[in-house]
Amino acid sequence: MNDTTVTLVGNVATAVEYRETAGGGVARFRFAVTARRWDREHGTWSDGSTSFYTVSAWRSLGANLAASVSVGEPLVVHGRLRVREDDRDGQRKTFVDVDAVAVGHDLTRGTAAFRRAARAEARPRPEPDATLVQAPEQDPWTEATARLVTVP
């Protein structure tokens, strides 16, 4: 397969819209990516132009994205790039879309707490084995994260 894959770092520009389709659920949103450059002359960062992409995420990724992401949040989006042209209002327009394979919060700009999603289908669980170590009742990672993000 000769797909063009990209990794984009930017911000969610529109609310995530989630719909069920015949091919499974899909989430869509607009994603803004602004280039930042160091201006040596002024000794400051300056913003370049902003590019907008329509991001689509299918099935469980789409459902998890719709439940986890809000407008303005910084994300890293990895997926297949698609460029298409369309006639709108008598003019030829170019659209750039990304079919997401993976999406996550940009942790250089904040913290996040991961919660594993419940699976839609229940799999039979194996019988507990005496040689296996049972997980603790309280998750120390969740507790540590709660202490980090709690403001006194």
Side-chain angles (χ1 to χ4, degrees), residues 2-3 9 11 21 26 41 48 51 53 59 62 68 76 85 90 101 104-105 112 118 131 133 138 143 146 150:
N2 293 330
D3 289 332
V9 179
N11 294 303
T21 67
V26 62
E41 186 176 310
S51 298
Y53 302 87
R59 293 175 278 293
S68 304
V76 178
E85 292 186 0
V101 174
H105 283 99
T131 61
V133 177
Q138 303 244 344
E143 292 174 14
T150 303

Side-chain angles (χ1 to χ4, degrees), residues 12 14-21 23-31 53-69 75-80 82 97-104:
V12 179
T14 63
V16 178
E17 295 178 20
Y18 182 78
R19 298 183 254 181
E20 289 291 337
T21 67
V26 62
R28 284 200 174 93
F29 65 96
R30 296 283 287 163
F31 192 59
Y53 302 87
T54 300
V55 177
S56 299
W58 292 87
R59 293 175 278 293
S60 62
L61 175 59
N64 292 340
L65 194 116
S68 304
V69 173
L75 296 180
V76 178
V77 174
H78 180 76
R80 291 178 294 278
R82 291 184 308 132
D97 301 331
V98 176
D99 289 329
V101 174
V103 177

Side-chain angles (χ1 to χ4, degrees), residues 9-11 32-40 43-51 106 108-109:
V9 179
N11 294 303
V33 177
T34 303
R36 288 184 56 86
R37 299 202 183 345
W38 180 252
D39 184 348
R40 289 184 184 165
T44 60
W45 287 97
S46 61
D47 288 341
S49 61
T50 300
S51 298
D106 182 357
T108 61
R109 299 182 29 212

